[in-house]
Amino acid sequence: MDQERLLRELSEFLRIPSVSTLPAHNQDCRAAAEWVAAELRRLGCRDVEFLGSDTHPVVSGKGPDVPGAPTLIIYGHYDVQPPDPLAEWTNPPFEPTIRDGKIYGRGAADDKGQVFCLLKAIAASPRPPINFRFLIEGEEEYGSKVLFDLLKREPQRVRADAVLVADMSYVAPAWPAVYTTLRGLCYAEITVRTSKTDLHSGEYGGAAPNAHEELGRLLTRLKGEDGKINIPGFYAPVKRPSKAELAAWKKLPFTEKDFLQKRVQGKALVGLKKYSVLERLWALPTFEIHGILGGFTGEGAKTVIPAEATAKVSMRLVPNQKLATVERQLAAAVQRLAPKYVTA
Amino acid sequence: MDQERLLRELSEFLRIPSVSTLPAHNQDCRAAAEWVAAELRRLGCRDVEFLGSDTHPVVSGKGPDVPGAPTLIIYGHYDVQPPDPLAEWTNPPFEPTIRDGKIYGRGAADDKGQVFCLLKAIAASPRPPINFRFLIEGEEEYGSKVLFDLLKREPQRVRADAVLVADMSYVAPAWPAVYTTLRGLCYAEITVRTSKTDLHSGEYGGAAPNAHEELGRLLTRLKGEDGKINIPGFYAPVKRPSKAELAAWKKLPFTEKDFLQKRVQGKALVGLKKYSVLERLWALPTFEIHGILGGFTGEGAKTVIPAEATAKVSMRLVPNQKLATVERQLAAAVQRLAPKYVTA
């Protein structure tokens, strides 16, 4: 295959504005799915199917049977994020443009580019002794509901020896990375209740407990200023990476300064200071607050003392941390750290 | 005036379903305003006007001129809260019913009953040497926008020697109260910013700061677990009530236990333990959180690390606390208590 043809085909894929979150682009999402399906057929796949949705189907395909060979699932997605704000783009988002030897366009790096490379790499190579399975979805940027529903209904779709997810980051420019594992997730809602109904701050302020205040206090107890998660037993199963891994990470073109300035774009990094930033990001569990509900959050002013407040939180889990155990540990810690007069 | 006629007239007023928050009741609100206007005219008021809204007007009226006499504004409202949940009512909300010598109906105690009593008391008494002004509004349960707009436009409407607001609580059953002052209000939004954009908790969790976490920490520093508000200078101008006042409060039929069980309906009272609950409620300033914005609060799970979080807070202020000073003190305290890496 010559480069020109590959670029032409990739550009064709990138030009489809398959924005999954915007219903106006439903037909574009379908078109991107058709594009993927045609490529799978060209690869010699059997059973190329559109599953779970007419407009945002999961494109499923099976490569030629190789008896006795291991099975590899290739996962990717053909949908993209909305391109706003348009004024920030150097080239129009759906008109892929090459500058300095790089192709720019919505989806080029997430995830059409990767899907394209994998399909073309398989096509270009001598037939590898692998049973390929493809699951290329169209709602990754929109919560993957179609895919999750499909896997709940047909779990055998992911029965395999390995899964290749080509939807990750480079460690640094020109430094591609193989992610061998990702942290797992424990998502939870913590609700604090302080009285039967919301109260008026003019009549009750100063003596009635405030659910937001108690929740804030509980959350700052659950995770201290030093970044330590105060859940008994939480860190017990956590193993440090091997010396070889830690040494390899040190050689990566990663600096905390660059990470802070170019990626986080904040004023400082936080977390457990005695571990390197990469270890904090890749090998340690986390506790994050995502949103807080309750009380009054509309326009303008309302002086209610909220009777109930809920925090959406999640913990990233590392190998050996079991979800069920962590859930139990979190519930116990919340009980222990919440004031006696609070229902949590 | 005989009791029967008074009861009949009050019932007529209570029967009008003047629910200000529900557009379906706009005509009922207007009808309640007309009812008030007719009463004012019957009292001999001049210049009875409907101001600021066709459906929820402020009913304004001036009593007969008494040269040299002081001016008293009587404030009240003819609108009521929605009556839901209907199943909780013993009698239908807009069919006033007498039980055990008490009249039950939506608005009987807030605020039609009080407006009615004042109008009838004036009508029944020998003409008092007072220049009465009436401002009876129709959006008290809906934010009083019409009234506030009117007062901004025509501040002379409240030029008076005193204002009588008959819209407060009894201290205990059969124990009416005269409120001489109410605490003032400083409403503020505190925003914490930790990075330029929201970040993914899988990629950044453990090293990037979390705006909700930092805001929670800031808020728990601003108001400690003991209920003390840690804003330098905040309490300096606060004067304790006189000995006579404190002694009088002690004689009130008020118990902390009843207040907790029947009013707060929670498990414990909070706040500055060395002051009585009534002093906390009536004579000390407060700091309350009303709602927290930012991050993800929709249905389901999203694992964003919020870059920005905002708390809606208010402080109730007591005599000698100046709003401008408190605003400055709060801003300075936020600057001092927020971590250096946070924009607050």
Side-chain angles (χ1 to χ4, degrees):
Chain A
M1 279 179 282
D2 60 305
Q3 193 182 17
E4 206 174 299
R5 198 185 108 206
L6 286 171
L7 271 175
R8 201 173 55 238
E9 290 183 13
L10 173 57
S11 297
E12 189 183 286
F13 192 22
L14 294 177
R15 255 184 228 114
I16 308 171
S18 47
V19 182
S20 52
T21 53
L22 304 176
H25 288 289
N26 282 359
Q27 287 317 308
D28 299 314
C29 288
R30 174 71 189 208
E34 308 258 7
W35 193 94
V36 170
E39 286 294 308
L40 291 181
R41 282 189 209 100
R42 212 165 294 143
L43 268 183
C45 280
R46 300 166 290 138
D47 306 335
V48 175
E49 295 169 276
F50 291 154
L51 302 170
S53 161
D54 283 339
T55 52
H56 301 71
V58 175
V59 186
S60 165
K62 291 180 185 172
D65 245 341
V66 186
T71 298
L72 174 70
I73 291 176
I74 290 183
Y75 164 89
H77 63 92
Y78 59 78
D79 65 318
V80 297
Q81 285 267 345
D84 327 72
L86 290 174
E88 300 282 309
W89 283 85
T90 308
N91 56 287
F94 296 106
E95 286 176 27
T97 307
I98 293 171
R99 287 197 306 277
D100 303 329
K102 298 186 189 88
I103 193 159
Y104 290 86
R106 175 56 96 212
D110 180 11
D111 189 44
K112 286 176 176 173
Q114 292 95 311
V115 169
F116 184 87
C117 288
L118 288 171
L119 296 177
K120 294 303 176 184
I122 295 168
S125 63
R127 182 126 308 176
I130 291 175
N131 284 301
F132 286 109
R133 301 280 179 275
F134 298 90
L135 282 178
I136 314 294
E137 67 153 323
E139 274 201 331
E140 199 270 350
E141 305 291 5
Y142 193 35
S144 295
K145 190 176 179 320
V146 170
L147 180 68
F148 290 151
D149 286 350
L150 173 70
L151 296 181
K152 252 180 240 163
R153 222 168 41 238
E154 304 180 34
Q156 75 280 9
R157 297 256 172 210
V158 278
R159 206 168 291 147
D161 297 289
V163 179
L164 198 167
V165 177
D167 188 17
M168 300 293 150
S169 314
Y170 274 42
V171 173
W175 198 290
V178 174
Y179 286 61
T180 53
T181 51
L182 288 171
R183 294 186 286 191
L185 188 71
C186 171
Y187 204 93
E189 293 192 347
I190 301 174
T191 296
V192 152
R193 179 162 271 285
T194 48
S195 53
K196 205 174 158 198
T197 56
D198 288 356
L199 299 168
H200 189 286
S201 72
E203 271 182 79
Y204 295 88
N210 179 313
H212 272 314
E213 192 184 318
E214 301 303 340
L215 179 63
R217 217 185 309 286
L218 174 61
L219 292 171
T220 57
R221 285 175 188 162
L222 279 169
K223 183 172 168 193
E225 205 169 338
D226 55 0
K228 184 148 179 269
I229 301 156
N230 297 313
I231 298 177
F234 186 68
Y235 288 107
V238 177
K239 287 227 168 71
R240 291 201 69 184
S242 70
K243 279 188 183 168
E245 265 179 298
L246 288 171
W249 293 356
K250 278 207 175 148
K251 290 184 194 146
L252 293 174
F254 172 95
T255 71
E256 296 191 7
K257 203 177 144 205
D258 271 10
F259 180 71
L260 173 63
Q261 290 177 353
K262 295 181 187 159
R263 307 280 304 281
V264 172
Q265 302 183 68
K267 292 191 190 172
L269 298 175
V270 296
L272 293 166
K273 297 278 183 254
K274 66 174 177 167
Y275 300 96
S276 74
V277 166
L278 286 184
E279 195 167 349
R280 281 180 247 163
L281 293 174
W282 293 351
L284 284 167
T286 65
F287 179 93
E288 296 291 344
I289 309 165
H290 306 302
I292 292 181
L293 292 91
F296 175 73
T297 52
E299 277 292 307
K302 195 175 165 184
T303 61
V304 72
I305 300 181
E308 188 175 288
T310 297
K312 285 179 181 266
V313 303
S314 79
M315 286 161 285
R316 296 279 167 178
L317 307 182
V318 298
N320 301 319
Q321 284 191 302
K322 299 265 173 264
L323 179 60
T325 311
V326 168
E327 285 174 340
R328 250 197 331 271
Q329 289 169 337
L330 172 66
V334 165
Q335 288 304 326
R336 207 175 56 89
L337 296 176
K340 290 283 163 287
Y341 53 87
V342 155
T343 316
Chain B
M1 277 180 282
D2 61 304
Q3 194 181 17
E4 207 175 297
R5 199 185 107 205
L6 286 172
L7 271 175
R8 201 173 56 238
E9 290 182 14
L10 173 58
S11 297
E12 190 183 286
F13 191 23
L14 294 177
R15 256 184 227 114
I16 308 172
S18 48
V19 182
S20 51
T21 53
L22 303 177
H25 287 289
N26 283 358
Q27 287 317 307
D28 299 315
C29 287
R30 174 71 190 207
E34 309 259 7
W35 193 96
V36 170
E39 286 294 308
L40 290 181
R41 283 190 208 99
R42 211 165 294 141
L43 266 184
C45 280
R46 301 166 289 139
D47 306 335
V48 176
E49 294 168 276
F50 290 156
L51 301 170
S53 162
D54 281 341
T55 52
H56 300 70
V58 176
V59 186
S60 165
K62 291 180 184 171
D65 246 339
V66 187
T71 299
L72 174 70
I73 291 175
I74 290 183
Y75 164 89
H77 63 93
Y78 58 78
D79 66 317
V80 298
Q81 286 267 344
D84 328 71
L86 290 174
E88 300 282 309
W89 284 84
T90 307
N91 56 287
F94 297 108
E95 285 176 27
T97 307
I98 293 172
R99 287 197 306 277
D100 302 329
K102 300 187 188 86
I103 192 160
Y104 290 87
R106 176 55 96 210
D110 181 10
D111 188 43
K112 286 175 175 172
Q114 291 95 313
V115 168
F116 184 87
C117 289
L118 288 171
L119 296 176
K120 294 303 177 184
I122 295 169
S125 63
R127 182 128 307 176
I130 292 174
N131 284 301
F132 285 109
R133 301 279 178 277
F134 298 90
L135 282 178
I136 314 295
E137 68 152 323
E139 275 202 331
E140 200 269 350
E141 304 292 5
Y142 193 34
S144 295
K145 190 176 177 325
V146 170
L147 179 69
F148 289 151
D149 287 349
L150 173 71
L151 296 182
K152 253 182 238 163
R153 221 165 45 235
E154 305 180 33
Q156 75 281 7
R157 297 256 174 210
V158 278
R159 206 168 291 146
D161 297 289
V163 179
L164 197 166
V165 177
D167 188 17
M168 300 293 150
S169 312
Y170 274 42
V171 173
W175 198 289
V178 174
Y179 286 61
T180 53
T181 52
L182 288 172
R183 292 187 286 192
L185 189 70
C186 170
Y187 204 93
E189 293 193 346
I190 301 174
T191 296
V192 152
R193 178 161 272 286
T194 48
S195 54
K196 204 174 158 198
T197 56
D198 288 356
L199 299 168
H200 189 285
S201 72
E203 271 182 81
Y204 295 89
N210 179 312
H212 271 313
E213 192 183 319
E214 300 303 339
L215 179 63
R217 217 185 307 286
L218 174 61
L219 292 170
T220 57
R221 284 174 187 162
L222 279 169
K223 183 174 169 192
E225 205 168 338
D226 55 1
K228 184 148 180 269
I229 301 156
N230 297 313
I231 299 176
F234 185 69
Y235 288 106
V238 177
K239 287 226 169 70
R240 292 201 69 187
S242 68
K243 279 188 182 170
E245 265 179 299
L246 289 171
W249 293 356
K250 278 206 175 150
K251 290 182 195 148
L252 292 174
F254 172 95
T255 71
E256 296 191 6
K257 203 177 143 204
D258 271 10
F259 180 71
L260 173 63
Q261 289 178 352
K262 295 182 187 158
R263 307 280 303 281
V264 172
Q265 300 184 70
K267 291 191 188 172
L269 298 175
V270 297
L272 293 166
K273 296 280 183 252
K274 65 174 177 166
Y275 300 96
S276 74
V277 166
L278 286 184
E279 194 166 350
R280 281 181 247 162
L281 292 174
W282 293 350
L284 283 167
T286 66
F287 179 93
E288 295 291 345
I289 309 165
H290 306 302
I292 292 181
L293 292 90
F296 175 73
T297 52
E299 276 292 308
K302 195 175 164 183
T303 62
V304 71
I305 300 182
E308 188 175 288
T310 297
K312 285 178 181 268
V313 303
S314 78
M315 287 162 285
R316 295 280 167 178
L317 307 182
V318 297
N320 301 319
Q321 284 190 303
K322 300 263 173 267
L323 178 60
T325 311
V326 167
E327 284 174 341
R328 250 198 330 272
Q329 289 169 338
L330 172 66
V334 165
Q335 288 304 326
R336 207 174 57 88
L337 295 177
K340 290 282 162 287
Y341 54 88
V342 155
T343 315

